[in-house]
Amino acid sequence: MPFLRRWRSLGVVLAGAVALLASAPTEMTSGWLWATLRSASPILFVVLGETLTQLTGVINLGVEGQMLLGACVGFAVTVTSQNPWLGLLAGSLAGLALSGLHMLLCVGLRTNAIASGVAVWVLGSGLSAYWGRAYVGQKISGLGAVVGELTPTILLSLLLVPIIGVLVYGTHTGLIWRAVGESIPASRSMGIRPWWVQMQGVGIGGLLAGLGGAALSVDYTLTWAENMTAGRGLVAVGLVIVARWNPFWACPAALLFGGSEALYLRLQSMGVEVSSYLLATLPYLVSLAVLVVSSATAQRGGMPQGLKGVFGSTG
């Protein structure tokens, strides 16, 4: 059964990750694996959220701005309240609020989704830079670890993978969402309100993008800096394609970015004689290479028919 095959694939990936952590031969390898999980966690939230958005037939490039605003608001609330949990909540709500603009422009007024997403991205970048000026350079203590170096946000991001996977492939709600993504006229003929489903998809995507940004500032870097997401939101949009619009494959796609970033930081700390600016491009180059290979070799993808006009022949 397709549903069981997806569970089996996820199980193989998670079992492999756990086996690697358990059998890490050196302290350096173990540290790199934990660093991979910490780096992957913020972008995993965004990949999962954007997957849900695109499954309803809408693309949102504004996740970069939503992530930035979530990071800024989450950090500011944490500094003010001294409560990182409130910071995560506030960051998530900030992402949701900014996604409301994309809902209005793209779903409500049916403007071009690319133009709407870029507008949201620029707005989020500007607002976060303005509101975050007073917090640049400040440090916080963060959430702390649950077990070892496993923090609550890492655990939550990993738990969301099977939860969203079951929602998409195992529930009536997921079936409705995928039906809207495949064909709006057909879903409308079945009595579904496509605009309402797409608004839910964009809203949850914005919520998770804001949470990803807050996880980045409140739990991963423990600080705030202007444009600190450094393109992670846009990379997440590409990783949705790598994951073939499948929530179960979002985890290995995010680990790909996280592992590359952890490797770049490890190489930099080892004093490798390569410009730090060039080393910093490693996670983006690896993600781009995998995206190209994935698009060229995939026999059939899970792309919703509603996105064919955006991505062309991809998938």
Side-chain angles (χ1 to χ4, degrees):
M1 295 175 63
F3 181 73
L4 293 179
R5 283 200 295 271
R6 293 186 179 98
W7 272 102
R8 187 175 58 188
S9 301
L10 177 67
V12 169
V13 171
L14 292 180
V18 171
L20 279 173
L21 284 171
S23 62
T26 67
E27 185 177 342
M28 179 177 292
T29 305
S30 176
W32 174 72
L33 291 173
W34 281 117
T36 296
L37 279 176
R38 289 179 63 82
S39 175
S41 174
I43 204 169
L44 179 55
F45 285 117
V46 188
V47 175
L48 288 170
E50 181 64 11
T51 298
L52 290 176
T53 301
Q54 293 194 17
L55 281 175
T56 65
V58 179
I59 184 171
N60 183 10
L61 297 181
V63 288
E64 177 74 14
Q66 292 163 1
M67 202 177 175
L68 271 171
L69 192 61
C72 174
V73 173
F75 187 81
V77 170
T78 301
V79 170
T80 304
S81 67
Q82 294 298 307
N83 188 332
W85 291 105
L86 280 180
L88 291 176
L89 176 62
S92 305
L93 294 177
L96 173 63
L98 191 56
S99 72
L101 179 60
H102 194 58
M103 288 183 204
L104 174 65
L105 294 176
C106 185
V107 181
L109 302 178
R110 290 294 170 191
T111 58
N112 182 276
I114 301 296
S116 173
V118 171
V120 171
W121 168 15
V122 173
L123 179 61
S125 178
L127 290 176
S128 63
Y130 178 74
W131 287 333
R133 290 175 300 170
Y135 301 96
V136 174
Q138 293 193 38
K139 298 288 289 184
I140 56 174
S141 56
L143 293 163
V146 178
V147 177
E149 297 183 35
L150 187 68
T151 65
T153 57
I154 296 175
L155 187 60
L156 177 60
S157 65
L158 294 175
L159 288 175
L160 280 179
V161 174
I163 290 173
I164 292 180
V166 170
L167 170 71
V168 170
Y169 295 112
T171 68
H172 183 66
T173 299
L175 183 63
I176 290 175
W177 281 35
R178 286 184 287 135
V180 170
E182 291 298 320
S183 173
I184 287 181
S187 60
R188 190 177 288 127
S189 68
M190 292 186 290
I192 300 171
R193 293 178 295 175
W195 64 270
W196 175 239
V197 173
Q198 290 184 328
M199 287 182 72
Q200 293 177 58
V202 174
I204 294 178
L207 186 80
L208 290 178
L211 177 58
L216 182 68
S217 63
V218 173
D219 189 49
Y220 181 44
T221 64
L222 306 180
T223 188
W224 157 256
E226 184 178 341
N227 290 321
M228 67 180 299
T229 56
R232 283 178 172 81
L234 296 177
V235 171
V237 176
L239 292 180
V240 172
I241 301 173
V242 173
R244 315 312 296 171
W245 293 269
N246 185 331
F248 289 113
W249 285 110
C251 184
L255 288 174
L256 171 75
F257 179 88
S260 303
E261 185 173 62
L263 178 61
Y264 130 64
L265 294 173
R266 186 70 60 179
L267 290 174
Q268 192 176 34
S269 66
M270 292 169 62
V272 174
E273 294 182 358
V274 177
S275 168
S276 59
Y277 296 104
L278 290 177
L279 280 177
T281 64
L282 181 63
Y284 303 94
L285 289 176
V286 170
S287 300
L288 179 62
V290 173
L291 173 62
V292 171
V293 172
S294 171
S295 300
T297 59
Q299 296 300 311
R300 56 183 297 273
M303 181 195 295
Q305 290 292 324
L307 294 177
K308 294 287 186 184
V310 178
F311 291 113
S313 59
T314 302

